[in-house]
Amino acid sequence: MTATRDVGTPLGRGEVVLDVRDLRVVFDTRRGRARAVDGVTLTLRAGETLGLVGESGCGKTVTALSLMRSVPSPGIIDGGSVSFEGRELLAMPEAQVAKLRGRSIALIPQDPLTALNPVMTVGAHITEVLEVHLGMRGAPALERAADLMARVGIPEPRRRLDSYPHQLSGGMRQRVMIALAIACQPAVLIADEPTTALDATVQAQILELLDELKHETGMSLLLITHNLGIVAGHCDRVAVMYCGRVAETAPVADLFIHPHHRYTAGLLACVPRLDRQEKGVFYTIPGIPPELTALPPGCAFAARCEAATERCRNERPDLASVDDTGAHRMACWNPAGIGDSTSARAAVSR
Ligand code: SF4
């Protein structure tokens, strides 16, 4: 249960800050209605990092944008619930959501170059955010902007406040995006593939920085990535998405050691491992995901799954608990690692 509280009042570690239920987002296209998010259910707790993983196009980014009610046209949030600190975001007036956006829930987008304003210095951009959300102006706002730039590791922060985005390296632009996102000390930070375009050294620095900021401020982090190594190293829990739905969710170690959904098991098998790899042979999941405009009636993974049965093709599995704790949940009729198709479903409880 989540409790309604004043915005900005910190939650205790482990309390549910975001509670998403049966979220649905559709895009009406010339080829039909695409179900980009098709009944996503997940929770994010105060102070934790939840990794959101899955192949490109599985709905990770659209899910994240829905949490800020920022789905781009022609996308429409078609149903479900997004509760932020006990308040229903989907029912709020737009003006109220606008106050939360950037202030309480902030986003680090995939591509900082397109997110930053090319004709605005980064200092002007940061001080604008401080003015809009916190009412800070003039010297105190500039001081705070320089502090934020220093905090995210930008050298000569005062001088860099006068830089335009094109004058900064990719790593520095990403740091500016992080400075913007943490400017108001949000309760929830959504990082959408924040290191995809960066080299390995800068990637490690950015991820370390996010970890430090999370520990300092107690914020929650929703980390969207397709990199399972990043999930293993930086997340507390993970949700695996496939075709707009959560296929499996669990504490990280549990999911890596005991993946149950056949798609999760396939994703993990795709990770190259020096101790297991036959020379030059890499596993890939066969086939491609179905069109989001023509999802099958049953499990969306059925056409790619070696364990698919008639039931899989006709009946869509819901998320079900694997054990009594409810921490590990998956949506599969014939899970890996539990047993055969008859005993497997009996071993899981709804
Ligand atoms: S429900 Fe069936 S088709 Fe889908 S992943 Fe599980 S076994 Fe495979």
Side-chain angles (χ1 to χ4, degrees):
M1 284 288 288
T2 54
T4 303
R5 63 187 62 231
D6 292 336
V7 171
T9 307
L11 290 172
R13 188 175 169 85
E15 283 187 70
V16 174
V17 59
L18 261 178
D19 194 10
V20 181
R21 305 267 151 194
D22 196 24
L23 179 67
R24 278 166 275 130
V25 181
V26 296
F27 286 76
D28 282 323
T29 70
R30 273 179 293 180
R31 297 167 74 171
R33 174 161 278 204
R35 301 193 179 281
V37 178
D38 194 23
V40 161
T41 292
L42 52 83
T43 53
L44 180 64
R45 295 179 184 281
E48 78 168 351
T49 299
L50 173 67
L52 196 56
V53 303
E55 288 165 293
S56 297
C58 70
K60 305 185 296 289
T61 296
V62 179
T63 298
L65 294 173
S66 311
L67 305 183
M68 303 175 75
R69 253 176 55 187
S70 301
V71 177
S73 178
I76 300 166
I77 297 178
D78 193 38
S81 161
V82 177
S83 172
F84 169 67
E85 295 185 346
R87 298 153 195 261
E88 179 50 62
L89 270 177
L90 301 188
M92 269 184 201
E94 173 52 32
Q96 218 173 322
V97 178
K99 282 185 187 163
L100 292 179
R101 236 179 254 133
R103 170 72 183 88
S104 300
I105 308 177
L107 173 75
I108 303 171
Q110 274 183 39
D111 181 3
L113 193 56
T114 53
L116 289 166
N117 188 334
V119 294
M120 205 174 190
T121 63
V122 295
H125 201 148
I126 296 174
T127 51
E128 183 181 79
V129 169
L130 293 171
E131 181 174 348
V132 167
H133 287 296
L134 303 179
M136 292 178 80
R137 293 184 184 81
L142 274 175
E143 188 76 19
R144 170 92 176 120
D147 285 350
L148 285 163
M149 296 274 278
R151 182 64 199 85
V152 297
I154 293 179
E156 301 181 81
R158 286 195 173 277
R159 186 171 73 77
R160 287 296 186 184
L161 285 176
D162 294 327
S163 300
Y164 289 89
H166 73 271
Q167 295 173 311
L168 303 175
S169 67
M172 272 207 232
R173 283 195 291 266
Q174 194 57 293
R175 286 170 197 270
V176 170
M177 288 311 305
I178 295 173
L180 278 163
I182 63 168
C184 303
Q185 296 202 341
V188 173
L189 180 60
I190 301 169
D192 188 359
E193 311 227 19
T195 58
T196 301
L198 304 176
D199 64 59
T201 311
V202 180
Q203 176 173 307
Q205 289 169 355
I206 296 282
L207 290 167
E208 257 173 48
L209 173 62
L210 288 174
D211 284 344
E212 280 171 28
L213 293 169
K214 192 187 75 161
H215 286 121
E216 272 173 28
T217 66
M219 72 182 178
S220 311
L221 183 59
L222 179 63
L223 183 58
I224 299 174
T225 181
H226 57 264
N227 186 328
L228 292 171
I230 288 177
V231 171
H234 297 272
C235 296
D236 301 298
R237 291 189 304 119
V238 58
V240 179
M241 284 191 69
Y242 188 75
C243 283
R245 289 174 70 82
V246 174
E248 184 162 11
T249 181
V252 165
D254 203 10
L255 185 116
F256 275 64
I257 295 167
H258 302 295
H260 289 318
H261 195 284
R262 300 281 173 170
Y263 175 62
T264 311
L267 272 186
L268 291 172
C270 291
V271 178
R273 286 184 52 168
L274 285 174
D275 58 334
R276 286 195 190 159
Q277 213 67 46
E278 269 179 60
K279 209 171 179 185
V281 179
F282 294 97
Y283 176 76
T284 55
I285 300 173
I288 56 171
E291 290 280 337
L292 295 177
T293 50
L295 289 174
C299 172
F301 190 59
R304 306 173 73 186
C305 179
E306 287 178 358
T309 62
E310 244 349 82
R311 186 181 196 189
C312 298
R313 284 182 268 277
N314 295 313
E315 203 178 325
R316 198 161 73 166
D318 288 328
L319 270 182
S321 294
V322 170
D323 54 31
D324 290 342
T325 68
H328 192 154
R329 295 161 68 79
M330 54 93 203
C332 178
W333 294 123
N334 188 14
I338 289 186
D340 64 22
S341 58
T342 315
S343 61
R345 199 59 191 170
V348 299
S349 58
R350 283 178 187 281

